[in-house]
Amino acid sequence: MTEQGSKAVEKILEVRDLVTQVATPSGPKTVVDGLSFDLCRGETLCIAGESGSGKSMTSLSIMGLLPEPMARVASGEIRLNGTDLLTLSERAMRDIRGNKIAMIFQEPMTSLNPVLTIGRQLGEAISTHNPMPGSRVRARALEVLKQVRISEPEKRLSQYPHELSGGMRQRVMIAMALACNPDVLIADEPTTALDVTIQAQILGLMRDLQRETGTAIILITHDMGVVAEMADRVIVMNQGKVVESGTVTDVFEKPGDPYTRGLLAAVPRLGAMTGTEGPASSDGKALERGLAKPLVSVRDLTVRFDIRGGLLQRVQKRVHAVEQVSFDIFAGETLSIVGESGCGKSTTGRALMNLIPWQGEVVIDGREIDANSRIQTREVRRNIQMIFQDPYASLDPRMTVGELVAEPLVIHGLASGSELDDRVEYLFRRVGLPADAAKRHPHEFSGGQRQRICIARALSLSPKVIIADESVSALDVSVQAQVLDLLGELQAESGLSYLFISHDMAVVEQISHRVAVMYMGQIVEIGPRQAVFENPQHPYTKKLMAAVPIPDPRKRRQDFSLITGEVPSPVHGLDYQPELADLQQIAAHHFVAKSAMETAA
């Protein structure tokens, strides 16, 4: 027992001088270097840092899940209630895992077995450590599902992971981790893959469960907003070493290390642009007077996907992905589309690229697009290009990055020989990469560098419009800031227009001229950035803003009940015809929220 203030606290986990190494062709490489910390009952310790800092390797070391012999703990101590876990056999560690220490992984879909029901998987987690009759196992599984406040818990027991939403799957993972009442819960980026509203619900749930059970939490994240929301104490890691540690208030208000200061400075903050007009448009005066002609004009864009079934595979239902969406994009302007997963924002971008079937009217640079003309589609793509969310999946691993950037020029017959080489070299310099990088392959670059390569590829045809689909959501905050700065510089230099697709309201506020909010396949609010962020009208817009974590521990939310409800299913019968007025009523019924500034106050 130790004294913290006037209250006695119990140390549960003690880590001393932990050194973790991985094998490389040139010899062992240290990825966790001399880490030490204590964790007390009921406390939340956040380990923060960017990709490669060693924070996830720390969690795997504690859990005894390192992929030996490729990775191993070289030295140190990890004591749980006084017992050094590094001295235990694998059989003894199996009794500890899930029972005394449990872990929530980043991606619930890859952590859950797709061929077993939720009830079966929960039952295995419970009965492995506490053998009991099947009826009692089911009762306990139902109890933990109710504990994590999942809707219709009895129904969920018989469902498979693919039948649940991302937020529901993460709740199942939390239920599985809490099933045996562990002393320590390690959550490794548990909300990174979730929409901001689901993230807020999960964070609120973890906080409530901690108050009820007294479980100590190690929260591993690169999101400093989440750190401010959840942490009692913070450890900041960089290249395997601790560069800063202390209470959450001290780290945020008095950061001592330059790396920590840079990390905090790079975090986009919702409301930081209040009272400002935002980024300047290349033709701002013309836009204000309503004199400018739109570069892209979309009217009544509709995308529906058939769901077939039965013996004859007839169409039984339809997914109403996008319904009668209309908007304009002007030269040198950034129009952002925001909303949660499934709202139709990425489908809208893919439809403009003619990557999926669509209906409606689309005019690009004065030319109406024929959705069924492949020849015209090829011509149109010289003016409109796309940057996808995952840069690694967008790049062919068998080709050099130089070949990938040159490929559009070759396909359209715009350059060859030395002219092609010069153009590729110019594009690499323009996105801040050395010319000799062109000879390397995608796996030899970091995530931020790969996204720069994707931007260079999109710029190769000198397009007038770039669709950026969640182009920075998978990046660390400092790399994200660099890519956003690059996009702004390119727009200022060449008058590029962006359709910026994102669920991150703070990033959208920073980069946008105008904002469109999508809900259930329709735009429910659209207007200038300042109007949408400072005076939101739709309850769904208010909900999105209320859910954004604020990177300031003094403004920590106490009441997560403001952020309630899930987006209803877009699957409907063949006779369904949605109306915007219906969506207003649905949103008012599902969502109760205040603005982020009201919530913070």
Side-chain angles (χ1 to χ4, degrees):
M1 304 283 283
T2 62
E3 292 290 330
Q4 193 177 68
S6 60
K7 184 173 70 174
V9 293
E10 177 187 353
K11 285 185 183 178
I12 295 178
L13 186 68
E14 300 170 80
V15 176
R16 294 288 178 270
D17 301 319
L18 179 66
V19 176
T20 301
Q21 296 179 332
V22 296
T24 70
S26 57
K29 178 182 177 180
T30 300
V31 292
V32 178
D33 192 355
L35 175 65
S36 297
F37 65 83
D38 295 329
L39 183 68
C40 298
R41 184 171 298 281
E43 179 185 39
T44 298
L45 171 70
C46 280
I47 302 179
E50 297 178 288
S51 299
S53 63
K55 55 189 188 297
S56 291
M57 293 299 288
T58 297
S59 67
L60 295 176
S61 300
I62 294 171
M63 293 293 294
L65 292 175
L66 291 171
E68 296 181 344
M70 294 302 296
R72 68 184 185 93
V73 175
S75 62
E77 296 181 350
I78 303 173
R79 295 189 175 275
L80 178 68
N81 294 322
T83 302
D84 189 352
L85 301 182
L86 298 179
T87 65
L88 300 181
S89 65
E90 175 57 27
R91 183 173 181 177
M93 275 303 298
R94 281 199 296 268
D95 292 334
I96 296 289
R97 287 190 213 106
N99 192 18
K100 298 298 182 182
I101 304 182
M103 189 164 180
I104 306 169
F105 293 93
Q106 178 172 349
E107 178 47 66
M109 194 61 186
T110 58
S111 305
L112 295 169
N113 192 324
V115 300
L116 298 180
T117 64
I118 299 302
R120 174 77 178 275
Q121 295 184 64
L122 281 169
E124 285 184 355
I126 295 165
S127 59
T128 297
H129 299 290
N130 300 291
M132 60 181 74
S135 59
R136 289 185 59 195
V137 170
R138 179 179 174 82
R140 176 57 181 161
L142 184 59
E143 181 184 350
V144 292
L145 283 183
K146 290 178 179 178
Q147 192 176 13
V148 299
R149 300 167 181 77
I150 199 168
S151 62
E152 301 180 279
E154 295 87 353
K155 179 182 177 181
R156 307 305 170 201
L157 288 174
S158 59
Q159 289 185 308
Y160 291 86
H162 73 272
E163 298 180 83
L164 306 183
S165 67
M168 286 184 181
R169 286 195 291 264
Q170 197 62 288
R171 287 172 188 263
V172 169
M173 289 297 299
I174 296 174
M176 196 175 295
L178 295 174
C180 296
N181 296 315
D183 293 326
V184 178
L185 177 64
I186 301 176
D188 186 4
E189 300 277 11
T191 61
T192 299
L194 302 178
D195 290 318
V196 65
T197 51
I198 306 300
Q199 171 183 268
Q201 293 173 27
I202 295 298
L203 294 178
L205 173 64
M206 290 175 63
R207 189 187 292 175
D208 290 344
L209 293 173
Q210 184 180 48
R211 279 197 293 262
E212 295 169 8
T213 63
T215 300
I217 296 176
I218 298 177
L219 181 59
I220 295 170
T221 183
H222 68 268
D223 189 330
M224 299 305 287
V226 171
V227 173
E229 192 79 71
M230 297 293 292
D232 296 310
R233 289 188 301 115
V234 182
I235 290 175
V236 181
M237 295 186 70
N238 183 28
Q239 297 183 350
K241 295 184 178 181
V242 175
V243 297
E244 187 124 21
S245 64
T247 67
V248 64
T249 303
D250 287 344
V251 169
F252 273 78
E253 295 184 0
K254 297 178 289 185
D257 190 84
Y259 177 77
T260 308
R261 292 197 293 270
L263 207 59
L264 292 171
V267 178
R269 298 168 185 262
L270 185 66
M273 299 185 70
T274 299
T276 67
E277 294 184 358
S281 172
S282 63
D283 195 13
K285 293 182 180 179
L287 289 179
E288 286 177 11
R289 295 194 302 266
L291 301 178
K293 291 184 178 180
L295 182 62
V296 178
S297 181
V298 177
R299 294 293 178 268
D300 298 325
L301 181 69
T302 298
V303 180
R304 297 174 182 173
F305 300 106
D306 292 341
I307 299 177
R308 297 179 180 272
L311 184 62
L312 300 178
Q313 287 296 295
R314 292 192 173 120
V315 177
Q316 296 182 335
K317 295 182 179 181
R318 287 195 179 98
V319 179
H320 291 250
V322 177
E323 284 293 334
Q324 300 178 350
V325 163
S326 299
F327 58 84
D328 295 322
I329 305 175
F330 295 87
E333 180 192 41
T334 299
L335 171 67
S336 291
I337 299 182
V338 298
E340 296 176 282
S341 297
C343 73
K345 57 187 188 297
S346 292
T347 303
T348 299
R350 291 173 182 268
L352 292 185
M353 288 293 295
N354 230 358
L355 295 174
I356 54 175
W358 54 273
Q359 295 177 329
E361 179 184 307
V362 176
V363 178
I364 299 178
D365 199 19
R367 184 175 184 180
E368 187 171 348
I369 307 306
D370 183 353
N372 300 313
S373 173
R374 291 189 177 183
I375 295 175
Q376 191 187 53
T377 296
R378 180 171 171 175
E379 294 173 356
V380 166
R381 285 182 186 161
R382 290 186 58 175
N383 285 327
I384 185 167
Q385 287 287 301
M386 192 162 188
I387 305 169
F388 294 93
Q389 179 173 356
D390 186 346
Y392 195 69
S394 307
L395 300 171
D396 190 330
R398 299 167 299 178
M399 300 172 68
T400 67
V401 294
E403 292 170 337
L404 288 165
V405 172
E407 189 177 34
L409 292 166
V410 174
I411 289 173
H412 288 269
L414 298 179
S416 61
S418 60
E419 183 185 1
L420 180 65
D421 294 338
D422 291 344
R423 177 65 176 165
V424 170
E425 183 178 339
Y426 164 75
L427 289 167
F428 270 79
R429 288 200 311 270
R430 195 171 187 191
V431 298
L433 291 174
D436 59 4
K439 299 178 181 179
R440 293 152 61 187
H441 288 80
H443 72 272
E444 299 178 74
F445 295 88
S446 68
Q449 289 173 323
R450 284 197 289 265
Q451 198 60 289
R452 287 173 181 265
I453 292 165
C454 290
I455 294 172
R457 179 182 169 95
L459 291 172
S460 61
L461 298 177
S462 300
K464 296 179 179 179
V465 182
I466 288 181
I467 301 172
D469 185 9
E470 298 280 12
S471 56
V472 297
S473 62
L475 304 178
D476 292 320
V477 286
S478 61
V479 180
Q480 180 185 84
Q482 294 169 17
V483 173
L484 291 174
D485 288 343
L486 172 62
L487 291 176
E489 291 169 8
L490 294 171
Q491 187 174 59
E493 289 174 12
S494 359
L496 274 170
S497 298
Y498 295 121
L499 180 64
F500 191 81
I501 297 169
S502 179
H503 66 265
D504 191 327
M505 297 295 282
V507 169
V508 166
E509 183 186 29
Q510 176 181 329
I511 198 172
S512 307
H513 297 100
R514 289 187 302 124
V515 179
V517 181
M518 285 194 74
Y519 172 69
M520 288 186 67
Q522 294 193 13
I523 291 178
V524 294
E525 185 163 357
I526 187 168
R529 178 208 59 79
Q530 190 171 3
V532 172
F533 276 86
E534 297 181 27
N535 188 26
Q537 300 298 305
H538 197 276
Y540 182 62
T541 309
K542 296 176 182 178
K543 176 192 173 179
L544 288 175
M545 295 175 67
V548 177
I550 300 173
D552 186 344
R554 294 171 302 177
K555 297 180 179 179
R556 181 175 292 184
R557 285 172 291 197
Q558 300 302 319
D559 185 6
F560 284 86
S561 64
L562 293 169
I563 306 156
T564 59
E566 294 193 11
V567 177
S569 172
V571 178
H572 300 284
L574 301 182
D575 58 347
Y576 176 75
Q577 293 295 331
E579 297 291 341
L580 187 60
D582 296 336
L583 294 185
Q584 299 282 0
Q585 293 177 2
I586 292 171
H589 175 71
H590 277 82
F591 304 132
V592 179
K594 294 180 181 179
S595 71
M597 284 65 75
E598 288 174 323
T599 305

